[in-house]
Amino acid sequence: MSSLKALEKSKLERLFGMSSGYVLGFSDAEFGTFFGDFDIDIHSEKYQGVGTSKAKKYREFWRIEEDALVGEVILEMIKHYESFGVKDGEESIVNLV
């Protein structure tokens, strides 16, 4: 179980645009591929405890996995976010820290 605090989760959710159920505009296949790089089947029932949207699966991942793995995935997702740049209307990572 990760030790992410509510404020940290809130900031990450804003950064990754999770309010709509999506995560950084990933398609289902892209989301699966991203997590596959960590040998994680994010689409498995394990992560569907509260629903099947990408955001709900990602929140469940945060809830049940260990800090080291959660941190590794978050850092890689931030790199993914940064590689595509901030678009108009999106949150800058600088504004979230």
Side-chain angles (χ1 to χ4, degrees), residues 23-68:
V23 178
L24 289 181
F26 279 114
S27 68
D28 284 340
E30 292 167 336
F31 200 56
T33 299
F34 177 86
F35 276 91
D37 288 346
F38 300 93
D39 293 323
I40 296 167
D41 180 4
I42 195 66
H43 298 304
S44 72
E45 288 186 22
K46 177 179 181 178
Y47 302 108
Q48 295 181 22
V50 293
T52 59
S53 75
K54 288 175 279 297
K56 288 179 180 176
K57 291 175 190 175
Y58 197 26
R59 288 181 194 109
E60 189 71 357
F61 170 81
W62 290 344
R63 189 184 72 77
I64 63 178
E65 296 296 351
E66 297 296 321
D67 281 336

Side-chain angles (χ1 to χ4, degrees), residues 1 6-7 10 12 21 23 27 38 45 49-50 52 60 69 73 79-81 90 96:
M1 174 182 283
L7 180 60
S10 177
L12 289 168
V23 178
S27 68
F38 300 93
E45 288 186 22
V50 293
T52 59
E60 189 71 357
L69 180 58
V73 169
K79 288 178 190 176
H80 177 85
Y81 171 85
E90 288 185 347
L96 295 172

